[in-house]
Every structure is written in C-alpha cells, then in structure tokens.
C-alpha cells in the first residue's frame, strides 16, 4: 500500500483562504456604503440592536463569495482570520438575518431604502454619463414556495421584472412579481420606476424592450419624453397583409457588423399604425430564409412575434430611430440580449437572484434586490480590475481573486496579511485603483 509522505498538524496561526474579499470590503468602505445604508434604513429600536448596514454588508459579502443560503453565514463566523479584514462591526446570525429580511420586506421601508442606496452605486459608475439606455425584461424564478404561482411557462415560481443600464451593465430597478403576473403588465409604471431610481442628473435616453412593451401608452410616453426606442412588435393581420404585398425589390440585404451583406437575411422598412396612436410609426421588418422543413404556426397570430411564410421567418421592430439604417436598428435592438438577458443570468446564477431564502414574499423581494446591489458592486469592481480579469464572470473572479490564501498577523494597531508575492502585487494594484473611487452619498 503506497502512502504519500505527509503528516497532518494543527496550528494556532490566523489563516484564511479568502483574503481577496478585502477588495469587496474596500469598495463598501470607499463608497461609504455603511453610512448610506444606515442613513436610509430605519435604526434598530434598542442600543443593542444590529444596524441595517451590518445585515446588508454581510449578505453582500456572502453573495460575492458564492454563499446564497442564510445559514452559510456560519462560514464567516468560523473564519476568525477573515472577519477583522472585512471591517464589520457586527456579523448577525442566520436567524437574525431572516427576521430582518421579513421585517424590512413587509414594513414598506426596505425596497425604497435599498433603491436610494443603489443610486449611490449607480452614480459612482455612471460618472459623466447622463443619458442612459434602459433595457427591461421579465425573468422566471422557479420555486416551490407556498405562495408561488404558475407562470406562463407552466412552472411554479415568480416573474420579477429587471431594468438594466446598458452603458454600465448595472441593475437600476427590480419589481418582484408573482409568477402568474403577465410580463406585459404595468410595464409603463416600471419604466417610470426605473427613471426615478436613476441618480438625479441622469435620464433615460433610449429604451429597448421585447414584445411585452409593444403598447400604445409606452410608445406615446417615449415620444412625449423624447426617448429613442426599439420595441419588438407583435405580429398582426395588418402586418401580415403588408408583408404579403411587398415585392422582392423592396428588400435589402442585412449588413452584418463586419460590413458584409448577409446571404440569408434581408430587411424592409414600412409605415405602420397601432391602435390608439394617432400618427404612423416606423416598422423595420427582418426576414430570414428557413433551412429545412418549416414548422406549422399553431399559436394565435396576435400573440406571436414572428410568422413564417413562403420559406422565410419574419420579425419586426417598431422604432423612432429615423436616421439609422435598418441593419443598425436591428443590431442595436439585438444588443439587449447581451446588455440585459445575459446580465440577468449573471444576477441569478452568480449572485443568488434565483435563491429565495424565506417563505415570505416581501422578504424574498428584498433579498432579490440585495442580490442586484451585490451584482452592481461587482460590475463596479470590474471597472478597476486588470485587463486579464476585467471581463470574467464572478465564478472566475472568486477563485482567481477572492480565494487567496493569507496569514493574518496582528501587531499593535496594525494588521499584516502575509501571502504569495504575485497575490500581493495583484491585490495592491486593485486596491490602489479602488481607493480612487469617490463616495457618492444620495
């Protein structure tokens, strides 16, 4: 029997395998996030109570580490070397965090307060960017909670609406909804919610939304507010009739981003009317040649965003970008897949947005928004990472940056962290950049 020549021993030295989490703690300190949280959230009712910043910062650090269940906070309690590096005054236990989420999620203070805290993070990232591109989309969270409702995908769960700022990839607002809420419901109200959630000197310059936003009141609102928009149109009998009378000469090849003309896709621009809107709209139609056998259209026409006819799939976008080419409008609209849909995947998979820790709707709504705040802090941090790390998702950052082994040594009033030379150089470079962030209290 072969046994490797090692012996196990114990040590009383202060060791941690997550020294890189000090970067997250430094961002929190640099933004003066604790001050902002305690300013906007209600104070504890007794001097012995735990302040809101301790709850929120603990959850943020947990989510950055990859721990999404409340009882996993014990990993921080057990890491005696790590807690002094994070600067937390108090670290609550799982039961206390759950009680706080339920209390704040149902007393009417939690979500508005968190939105004000989030404004400071957005302001730090946007800098001089005033006009933003807003992408909104609904996402499904499958859950077996007692109050979970059936979604249109025939799953039990929830259907939150999420708004993203395309320029910085951050979440501006969330609306946590029951699973049976139609994605098209109250979208204008949510757009206005996103507008109010922006820093004071920012405004919505452009809007991109799928067919859930194909509504007269949203189009009218955009035109009244001088918002450029691109909205996926639902097919109708009128649009189908217009497509059928188009001639081949009316179609132009779609120009790819590299400047080459597509051999299988083409575009056409027509005038379009929508019920309740007094003036004509611009409709950009895109067709794509079908390869292989066509599938029959069985869904009601009014509920579809595409139709198949004579060997082509047709889709359309309603827009007021009159000065742009059809190809540019299509590419710009399709970019929402990266700026919104993929960011929602990161929010859910990388920061626990699809993990609902409580059996309470209000508490889960607050936790979902806290996940969005953690995601925003991560997006802000990526702006200050070296080029070789700046475009990676959280999973890679966790093992390349957060999971750095270190020995913590306390001498007098100072704390030293001993680590490998390459890790020290990396952390010092990132920390020096983060210290240039100016606090943005709202």
């Amino acid at each position: 029997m072969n046994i490797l020549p090692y012996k196990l021993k114990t040590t009383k030295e202060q060791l941690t395998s997550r020294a890189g989490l000090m970067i997250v703690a430094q961002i929190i300190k640099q933004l003066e996030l604790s001050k902002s949280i305690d300013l906007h959230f209600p104070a504890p009712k007794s001097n012995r109570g735990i302040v809101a910043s301790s709850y929120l910062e603990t959850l943020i650090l947990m989510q950055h580490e990859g721990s999404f269940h409340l009882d996993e906070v014990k990993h921080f309690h057990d890491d005696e070397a790590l807690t002094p590096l994070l600067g937390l005054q108090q670290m609550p236990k799982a039961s206390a965090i759950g009680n706080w989420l339920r209390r704040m999620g149902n007393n009417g203070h939690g979500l508005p307060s968190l939105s004000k805290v989030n404004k400071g993070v957005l302001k730090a990232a946007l800098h001089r960017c005033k006009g933003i591109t807003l992408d909104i989309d609904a996402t499904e969270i499958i859950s077996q909670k007692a109050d979970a409702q059936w979604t249109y995908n025939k799953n039990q769960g929830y259907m939150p609406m999420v708004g993203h700022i395309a320029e910085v990839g951050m979440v501006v607002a969330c609306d946590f909804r029951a699973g049976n809420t139609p994605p098209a419901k109250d979208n204008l109200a949510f757009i206005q919610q996103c507008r109010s959630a922006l820093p004071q000197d920012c405004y919505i310059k452009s809007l991109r939304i799928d067919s859930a936003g194909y509504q007269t009141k949203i189009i009218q609102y955009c035109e009244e507010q001088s918002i450029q928009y691109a909205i996926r149109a639902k097919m109708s009998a009128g649009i189908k009739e217009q497509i059928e009378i188009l001639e081949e000469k009316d179609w132009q090849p779609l120009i790819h981003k590299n400047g080459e003309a597509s051999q299988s896709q083409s575009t056409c621009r027509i005038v379009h009317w929508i019920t309740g809107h007094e003036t004509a709209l611009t409709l950009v139609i895109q067709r794509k040649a079908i390869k292989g056998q066509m599938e029959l259209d069985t869904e009601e026409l009014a509920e579809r965003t595409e139709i198949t006819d004579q060997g082509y799939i047709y889709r359309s976008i309603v827009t007021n970008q009159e000065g742009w080419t059809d190809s540019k409008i299509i590419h710009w609209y399709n970019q929402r897949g990266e700026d919104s849909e993929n960011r929602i995947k990161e929010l859910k998979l990388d920061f626990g947005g699809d993990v609902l820790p409580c059996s309470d709707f209000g508490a889960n709504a607050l936790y979902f928004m806290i996940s969005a705040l953690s995601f925003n802090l991560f997006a802000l941090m990526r702006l200050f990472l070296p080029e070789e790390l700046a475009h990676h998702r959280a999973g890679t950052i966790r093992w390349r940056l957060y999971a750095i082994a270190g020995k913590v040594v306390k001498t007098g009033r100072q704390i030293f962290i001993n680590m490998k030379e390459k890790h020290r150089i990396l952390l010092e470079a990132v920390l020096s950049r983060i210290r240039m962030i100016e606090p943005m209290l709202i």
Side-chain angles (χ1 to χ4, degrees):
M1 182 177 179
N2 294 324
I3 300 176
L4 292 175
Y6 60 76
K7 291 184 179 179
L8 299 179
K9 298 181 67 176
T10 59
T11 179
K12 293 184 179 180
E13 293 180 319
Q14 296 288 300
L15 306 176
T16 180
S17 61
R18 297 168 290 180
L21 279 175
M22 71 173 71
I23 292 174
V24 184
Q26 184 64 48
I27 291 177
I28 291 173
K29 181 178 180 180
Q30 202 68 27
L31 290 172
E32 296 186 2
L33 206 62
S34 300
K35 185 184 295 185
S36 177
I37 292 168
D38 294 333
L39 175 66
H40 297 299
F41 276 83
K45 294 183 179 180
S46 70
N47 292 332
R48 293 181 297 175
I50 301 176
V51 294
S53 58
S54 293
Y55 290 108
L56 270 174
E57 289 175 26
T58 299
L59 286 169
I60 290 169
L61 288 162
M62 286 175 58
Q63 289 167 348
H64 272 259
E65 186 214 23
S67 300
F68 308 136
H69 300 279
L70 300 188
D71 59 355
E72 291 176 332
V73 71
K74 63 185 178 183
H75 299 319
F76 284 93
H77 287 285
D78 294 340
D79 196 336
E80 297 178 357
L82 178 64
T83 47
L85 307 182
L86 302 182
L88 284 174
Q89 298 298 320
Q90 294 173 292
M91 186 171 289
K93 295 183 178 180
S95 58
I97 296 174
N99 291 334
W100 183 82
L101 287 172
R102 285 185 284 271
R103 186 168 64 252
M104 289 295 110
N106 292 286
N107 65 4
H109 294 294
L111 289 174
S113 299
L114 196 57
S115 179
K116 293 174 183 177
V117 173
N118 192 49
K119 277 187 181 183
V121 179
L122 295 177
K123 190 172 183 179
L126 288 170
H127 294 293
R128 297 179 180 84
C129 179
K130 305 302 180 184
I132 64 100
T133 300
L134 175 65
D135 295 311
I136 70 173
D137 201 5
T139 183
E140 181 186 50
I141 297 177
I142 299 174
S143 173
Q144 300 300 318
K145 300 291 184 182
D147 61 353
Q149 302 294 325
W150 291 97
T151 72
Y152 68 90
N153 287 326
K154 299 181 181 180
N155 297 310
Q156 276 188 286
Y158 305 88
M159 192 64 69
M161 187 69 71
V162 183
H164 275 93
I165 299 174
E167 286 75 9
V168 290
M170 291 185 174
V171 177
V172 61
C174 299
D175 184 10
F176 196 79
R177 300 177 175 182
N180 59 356
T181 304
K185 184 178 180 181
D186 296 332
N187 277 351
L188 177 57
F190 182 66
I191 293 170
Q192 293 169 333
Q193 178 185 338
C194 291
R195 184 183 182 184
S196 64
L198 287 169
Q200 187 174 3
D201 53 351
C202 294
Y203 63 94
I204 300 174
K205 179 182 178 182
S206 307
L207 171 69
R208 297 180 297 202
I209 184 173
D210 61 15
S211 60
Y214 184 62
Q215 303 174 25
T216 302
K217 56 186 178 182
I218 291 179
I219 293 173
Q220 289 176 338
Y221 176 80
C222 290
E223 293 177 349
E224 290 168 1
Q225 301 295 323
S226 300
I227 297 173
Q228 300 167 341
Y229 62 83
I231 303 172
R232 175 67 69 193
K234 291 181 180 179
M235 287 301 178
S236 64
I239 294 177
K240 187 174 182 180
E241 289 176 2
Q242 287 181 286
I243 290 174
E244 289 174 346
I245 63 174
L246 290 172
E247 299 179 8
E248 192 61 33
K249 63 182 178 62
D250 297 323
W251 296 94
Q252 302 294 327
L254 174 72
I255 306 301
H256 293 301
K257 290 183 178 180
N258 61 7
E260 296 181 0
S262 173
Q263 300 299 316
S264 61
Q265 299 186 63
S266 50
T267 68
C268 180
R269 184 176 300 205
I270 63 174
V271 175
H272 176 61
W273 282 265
I274 185 173
T275 303
H277 196 272
E278 296 180 354
T279 59
L281 301 173
T282 298
L283 195 71
V284 175
I285 301 176
Q286 178 185 6
R287 72 176 185 179
K288 182 178 181 180
I290 301 173
K291 295 182 180 180
Q293 185 177 358
M294 290 189 299
E295 295 182 0
L296 293 175
D297 290 332
T298 58
E299 193 177 4
E300 290 293 329
L301 184 62
E303 298 302 321
R304 295 207 308 268
T305 59
E306 62 183 38
I307 57 174
T308 57
D309 186 44
Q310 298 180 358
Y312 290 98
I313 295 177
Y314 296 88
R315 307 183 78 188
S316 57
I317 298 170
V318 62
T319 183
N320 60 352
Q321 296 277 28
E322 301 289 347
W324 286 10
T325 64
D326 296 352
S327 297
K328 186 175 181 180
I329 290 169
I330 290 170
H331 292 315
W332 182 65
Y333 174 82
N334 290 341
Q335 184 61 34
R336 68 182 291 273
E338 170 64 23
D339 294 333
S340 180
E341 294 173 5
N342 287 345
R343 300 289 83 77
I344 288 176
K345 290 178 183 177
E346 290 188 45
L347 168 62
K348 292 166 66 175
L349 299 177
D350 296 350
F351 289 91
D354 60 351
V355 177
L356 306 178
C358 302
S359 298
D360 182 276
F361 186 89
N364 290 330
L366 182 60
Y367 184 85
F368 185 82
M369 187 60 195
I370 293 171
S371 297
L373 177 62
S374 295
F375 172 80
N376 286 351
L377 288 170
F378 179 77
L380 178 63
M381 181 190 72
R382 281 200 290 202
L383 299 176
F384 299 92
L385 292 181
E387 182 64 25
E388 65 270 17
L389 293 176
H391 303 290
H392 286 289
R393 284 179 55 172
T396 301
I397 300 301
R398 284 180 183 127
W399 70 265
R400 291 188 61 179
L401 188 61
Y402 294 165
I404 291 178
K407 181 173 76 171
V408 180
V409 180
K410 299 179 182 179
T411 59
R413 296 183 179 181
Q414 284 191 311
I415 299 176
F416 295 91
I417 309 152
N418 298 329
M419 61 187 67
K420 277 191 171 184
E421 178 70 9
K422 65 176 184 178
H423 293 153
R424 181 189 64 79
I425 293 172
L426 174 60
L427 286 182
E428 284 185 345
V430 176
L431 289 170
S432 64
R433 295 180 183 180
I434 289 174
R435 292 188 184 106
M436 295 187 296
I437 301 176
E438 296 182 5
M440 296 291 180
L441 285 176
I442 299 293

